[in-house]
Amino acid sequence: MSLPQPTPAAEERSHEILFSIRQAFAEKGFDGASMQDLARAAGMSVGNFYRYFPSKAAIVEAMVGLDLAEIQGDFAEILVSDDPLGRLREKILARLTEDCMGDGGLWAEITAAAIRKPEIGVAALQMERTVVTHMAEVFARVTGRSMDDVQQRYAGHSQMLVMLVKAVAMRTSQCGPASPALAAMVVRTIDLIMKDISNDIPKG
């Protein structure tokens, strides 16, 4: 028996709640933020809050799903771009900036929680695998290679790009924004990865 799907209004309200509690989650941490803290941040009673999210794990899974939907939209835009690699680079750099401006703490907490909580680890791993697959689609588009070939040839490139974004989020949360020298090294590493792909684009 399948579970009833949320109505559009309920789904929209869930999204509003998630946006309103992001800062509280980032500031207090996965273990430090109580359901009462999160309900207060959302401007709701605890009982009403539980109707939308019965646990903190459910909140994190929903946050991962919401971010994944946004990321999938970004990749759909990248694939139809005249310069997919250039557009991918722009999106990655924008994500790094967003993490430095506020979301770094949240994703650092989710990454840490994924180590301790198997259900969150599953959601986080699904997100990473989805992003890596989308990157492979971009690399296949620009090189003309098959998905199987690209996934074997460039798996490390995709995983490294994901790891860089996660590492910047973690470091920003713990130490604050990167120094100009470190930020330059991150960009240089991204550019070296992109150069590897662009060197495989057929000439002519």
Side-chain angles (χ1 to χ4, degrees):
M1 181 178 175
S2 60
L3 295 173
Q5 294 298 308
T7 65
E11 188 170 357
E12 182 178 352
R13 180 60 179 138
S14 294
H15 293 172
E16 290 172 356
I17 294 168
L18 290 174
F19 283 118
S20 68
I21 67 175
R22 290 171 85 93
Q23 191 62 30
F25 229 144
E27 288 177 355
K28 292 180 176 290
F30 183 88
D31 294 320
S34 68
M35 294 297 273
Q36 289 84 354
D37 292 329
L38 299 174
R40 192 179 305 116
M44 303 169 67
S45 69
V46 176
N48 197 26
F49 188 80
Y50 270 103
R51 288 175 53 203
Y52 286 90
F53 300 107
S55 67
K56 285 191 280 186
I59 294 170
V60 173
E61 289 170 14
M63 285 180 171
V64 168
L66 198 58
D67 261 42
L68 193 52
E70 181 181 341
I71 289 169
Q72 288 172 328
D74 286 342
F75 274 107
E77 178 188 330
I78 290 167
L79 281 171
V80 299
S81 168
D82 292 336
D83 179 15
L85 281 185
R87 193 73 182 118
L88 175 60
R89 178 183 183 276
E90 289 174 9
K91 291 288 187 182
I92 292 171
L93 294 179
R95 181 78 185 200
L96 293 176
T97 302
E98 288 167 9
D99 284 346
C100 286
M101 295 299 289
D103 265 0
L106 174 67
W107 286 106
E109 279 300 319
I110 289 177
T111 299
I115 298 172
R116 305 189 305 273
K117 307 286 184 179
E119 64 275 24
I120 296 175
V122 169
L125 183 58
Q126 178 190 357
M127 184 175 188
E128 180 168 335
R129 285 175 174 169
T130 301
V131 172
V132 166
T133 297
H134 282 311
M135 284 189 188
E137 291 171 350
V138 175
F139 299 158
R141 157 99 157 71
V142 299
T143 64
R145 294 181 178 276
S146 70
M147 278 292 289
D148 286 344
D149 189 7
V150 163
Q151 286 173 328
Q152 291 182 16
R153 185 179 291 260
Y154 298 124
H157 296 68
S158 302
Q159 291 163 5
M160 184 64 180
L161 289 170
V162 172
M163 189 172 74
L164 277 173
V165 173
K166 291 172 72 173
V168 168
M170 294 286 287
R171 189 190 184 283
T172 299
S173 173
Q174 295 171 356
C175 309
S179 67
L182 177 57
M185 283 301 300
V186 171
V187 174
R188 183 183 176 193
T189 303
I190 292 169
D191 287 342
L192 286 172
I193 292 171
M194 294 300 177
K195 185 177 180 181
D196 249 9
I197 310 299
S198 63
N199 285 342
D200 207 15
I201 297 175
K203 303 297 188 289

